[in-house]
């Protein structure tokens, strides 16, 4: 037992001696281990702080970037597409004139955007940090103005932006203004909407062909309208008492013609033919002014009381023939006034020569005491 106890004590003694020996051989080892632990702990804390700061910085930068008005505008401009432009117009209560609908205005902008890249840029002179204003462009053409407004603050107290308003004023082609000349009694419509008197720029316009009919019938007049601010070329229609009128559009000018009347035209052809014959014969001294005056009234009578071609035919033997007689362009101004154009070749043959008198005139008829008489003759 003592021997065993002594061996154990010797072993413990040897262990302590070895430990002390190792410590004497490497006195900094213990101290290095403690510093390393501290360094690792410090590094870990520092890394954690850096990570937190980076996360915070990232969040700040992200919120700052989101607060830039350009980012909001980039999202808004994506709505300016041919498929979505009508919705943009509806959502923003775009001012429409009296004659166009949101749908027709959308068609205008669809054409503007067709095959063109839609972009935006800051509007010079209007853009500020508190009120961002942008121009929306389709290709090189500006089509709208967009104003952004504040939409609260984000987590880092940066301003958020949203769509404030969209304006299309000033981005409409000037060519979409039209001047319309029409009979005063006509009802004129643009895109199915009647033009009111507020668009009249001239009233009581009188044509030369009817200016002298006043003593017998009410003088027909026309009126001029001017409509501007149209985004697309309008459909123009007109009528008098339900009768559709011919509408001729040439660029920015539109003419609405008085109606014709085929039944009246056919009924008056015999009278017109007779007047042609009497005027032709009077010109070559084969007719009577008294007979001709039966068909004339007012200024037309005065037109015929002039020296005629027949003055050169005294003492000569001749024959005559009417050729290529035509009556056309009958215009009905009212139930008691119409005009028409006539043409005929009056061929005259003498013994030694011949001549053709090419005759073209416009007659204005008035109905007085139940009879149609010519009140004006224009050559």
């Amino acid at each position: 037992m003592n021997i065993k106890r002594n061996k154990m004590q010797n072993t413990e003694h040897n262990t302590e001696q070895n430990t002390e020996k190792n410590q004497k051989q490497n006195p900094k080892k213990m101290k290095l281990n403690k510093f390393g632990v501290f360094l690792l702990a410090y590094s870990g804390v520092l890394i954690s702080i850096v990570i937190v700061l980076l996360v915070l910085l990232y969040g700040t930068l992200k919120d700052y970037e989101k607060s830039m008005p350009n980012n909001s505008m980039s999202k808004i401009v994506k709505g300016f597409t041919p498929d979505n432009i009508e919705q943009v117009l509806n959502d923003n209560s775009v001012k429409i004139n009296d004659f166009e609908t949101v749908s027709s205005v959308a068609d205008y902008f669809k054409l503007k955007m067709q095959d063109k890249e839609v972009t935006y840029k800051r509007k010079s002179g209007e853009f500020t940090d508190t009120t961002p204003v942008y121009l929306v462009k389709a290709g090189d053409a500006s089509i709208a103005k967009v104003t952004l407004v504040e939409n609260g603050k984000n987590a880092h107290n940066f301003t958020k932006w949203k769509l404030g308003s969209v304006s299309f004023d000033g981005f409409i082609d000037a060519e979409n203004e039209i001047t319309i000349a029409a009979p005063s009694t006509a009802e004129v419509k643009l895109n199915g909407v009647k033009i009111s008197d507020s668009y009249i720029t001239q009233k009581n316009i009188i044509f030369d062909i009817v200016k002298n009919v006043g003593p017998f019938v009410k003088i027909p007049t026309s009126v001029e309208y001017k409509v501007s601010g149209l985004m697309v070329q309008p459909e123009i229609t007109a009528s008098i008492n339900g009768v559709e009128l011919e509408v001729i559009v040439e660029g920015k000018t539109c003419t609405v013609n008085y109606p014709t009347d085929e039944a009246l035209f056919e009924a008056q052809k015999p009278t017109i033919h007779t007047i042609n014959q009497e005027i032709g014969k009077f010109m070559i001294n084969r007719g009577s002014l008294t007979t001709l005056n039966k068909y004339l009234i007012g200024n037309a009578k005065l037109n015929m009381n002039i020296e005629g071609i027949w003055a050169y035919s005294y003492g000569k033997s001749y024959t005559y023939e009417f050729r290529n007689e035509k009556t056309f362009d009958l215009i009905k101004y009212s139930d008691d006034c119409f005009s028409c154009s006539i043409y005929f070749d009056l061929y005259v043959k003498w013994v030694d020569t011949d001549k053709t008198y090419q005759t073209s005139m416009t007659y204005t008829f008035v109905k007085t005491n139940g009879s149609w008489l010519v009140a004006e003759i224009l050559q």
Side-chain angles (χ1 to χ4, degrees):
M1 290 292 292
N2 290 332
I3 295 171
K4 192 173 186 179
R5 187 179 295 117
N6 290 334
K7 287 182 178 180
M8 292 178 62
Q9 289 176 348
N10 290 334
T11 301
E12 291 173 357
H13 178 71
N14 292 334
T15 302
E16 290 175 359
Q17 287 181 336
N18 291 334
T19 301
E20 290 176 359
K21 184 178 179 181
N22 291 335
Q23 288 177 348
K24 288 178 181 179
Q25 292 175 349
N26 193 9
K28 293 183 178 181
K29 186 175 182 180
M30 183 61 69
K31 292 180 181 179
L32 183 60
N33 288 339
K34 290 181 178 180
F35 179 75
V37 171
F38 169 76
L39 184 61
L40 288 173
Y42 178 79
S43 298
V45 172
L46 184 61
I47 291 171
S48 298
I49 292 172
V50 171
I51 291 173
V52 171
L53 289 176
L54 288 174
V55 170
L56 292 174
L57 181 61
Y58 174 77
T60 302
L61 291 175
K62 190 174 181 180
D63 279 354
Y64 176 75
E65 184 181 357
K66 287 182 178 180
S67 72
M68 298 298 291
N70 278 9
N71 288 320
S72 297
M73 191 60 199
S74 294
K75 295 177 181 178
I76 291 169
V77 82
K78 289 180 181 179
F80 284 80
T81 65
D83 292 336
N84 194 58
I85 190 63
E86 186 168 345
Q87 189 63 48
V88 172
L89 295 170
N90 280 318
D91 290 345
N92 292 280
S93 301
V94 174
K95 182 182 177 181
I96 306 297
N97 56 58
D98 295 338
F99 309 102
E100 294 177 311
T101 63
V102 169
S103 179
S104 63
V105 175
D107 290 339
Y108 167 81
F109 284 106
K110 286 177 183 178
L111 291 175
K112 281 285 187 181
M113 293 185 290
Q114 188 175 16
D115 300 326
K116 294 182 178 68
E117 181 183 7
V118 178
T119 58
Y120 66 91
K121 72 172 187 177
R122 294 183 178 188
K123 191 171 191 313
S124 177
E126 293 189 35
F127 185 98
T128 65
D129 292 337
T130 55
T131 306
V133 181
Y134 293 88
L135 285 176
V136 179
K137 301 177 72 67
D140 295 329
S142 297
I143 62 172
K145 181 176 76 172
V146 173
T147 302
L148 304 184
V149 295
E150 290 191 17
N151 189 28
K153 304 288 185 178
N154 59 31
H156 291 90
N157 205 37
F158 294 120
T159 300
K160 296 190 293 185
W161 300 99
K162 67 177 180 178
L163 176 64
S165 63
V166 179
S167 172
F168 296 93
D169 294 343
F171 304 105
I172 303 167
D173 290 342
E175 66 183 5
N176 292 318
E177 174 184 86
I178 193 160
T179 300
I180 304 168
S184 298
T185 54
E187 181 180 76
V188 184
K189 294 181 179 181
L190 265 65
N191 297 327
V193 179
K194 182 181 177 181
I195 304 178
S196 68
D197 290 349
S198 63
Y199 290 93
I200 293 176
T201 54
Q202 290 189 62
K203 290 183 176 181
N204 300 320
I205 303 170
I206 300 175
F207 308 106
D208 285 345
I209 191 64
V210 294
K211 67 181 181 180
N212 293 313
V213 301
F216 315 105
V217 297
K218 182 178 179 180
I219 298 178
T221 61
S222 67
V223 65
E224 181 183 276
Y225 301 94
K226 182 169 287 188
V227 181
S228 58
L230 297 168
M231 293 189 180
V232 294
Q233 183 70 28
E235 178 187 0
I236 303 172
T237 57
S239 63
I240 294 179
N241 298 325
V243 178
E244 292 296 318
L245 305 180
E246 181 185 25
V247 176
I248 300 174
V249 179
E250 296 179 347
K252 298 180 183 180
T253 303
C254 171
T255 302
V256 177
N257 291 327
Y258 275 91
T260 187
D261 188 326
E262 290 300 326
L264 177 63
F265 197 11
E266 291 300 322
Q268 294 305 313
K269 275 185 176 180
T271 300
I272 296 169
H273 172 72
T274 299
I275 294 171
N276 290 343
Q277 297 278 317
E278 293 300 326
I279 289 177
K281 290 189 293 183
F282 174 69
M283 290 167 57
I284 59 172
N285 199 22
R286 287 295 177 91
S288 163
L289 182 59
T290 301
T291 302
L292 176 58
N293 278 340
K294 293 179 181 179
Y295 301 96
L296 309 181
I297 194 172
N299 202 59
K301 278 190 175 183
L302 298 177
N303 288 343
M304 288 296 100
N305 284 328
I306 58 175
E307 189 175 20
I309 300 171
W310 52 265
Y312 300 98
S313 302
Y314 279 118
K316 293 184 178 181
S317 177
Y318 59 91
T319 59
Y320 66 92
E321 181 183 352
F322 287 89
R323 298 174 177 176
N324 302 319
E325 185 177 356
K326 299 175 184 176
T327 304
F328 53 97
D329 288 346
L330 184 143
I331 300 173
K332 183 179 179 180
Y333 302 103
S334 64
D335 288 339
D336 52 13
C337 182
F338 76 89
S339 68
C340 65
S341 296
I342 65 95
Y343 177 87
F344 59 82
D345 290 329
L346 179 55
Y347 175 74
V348 181
K349 181 174 177 54
W350 293 273
V351 174
D352 53 351
T353 187
D354 60 16
K355 184 175 180 63
T356 297
Y357 297 100
Q358 296 176 324
T359 307
S360 113
M361 292 178 284
T362 300
Y363 303 150
T364 301
F365 285 83
V366 294
K367 194 173 188 179
T368 177
N369 297 323
S371 299
W372 286 102
L373 301 175
V374 179
E376 182 69 272
I377 299 176
L378 292 183
Q379 298 184 23

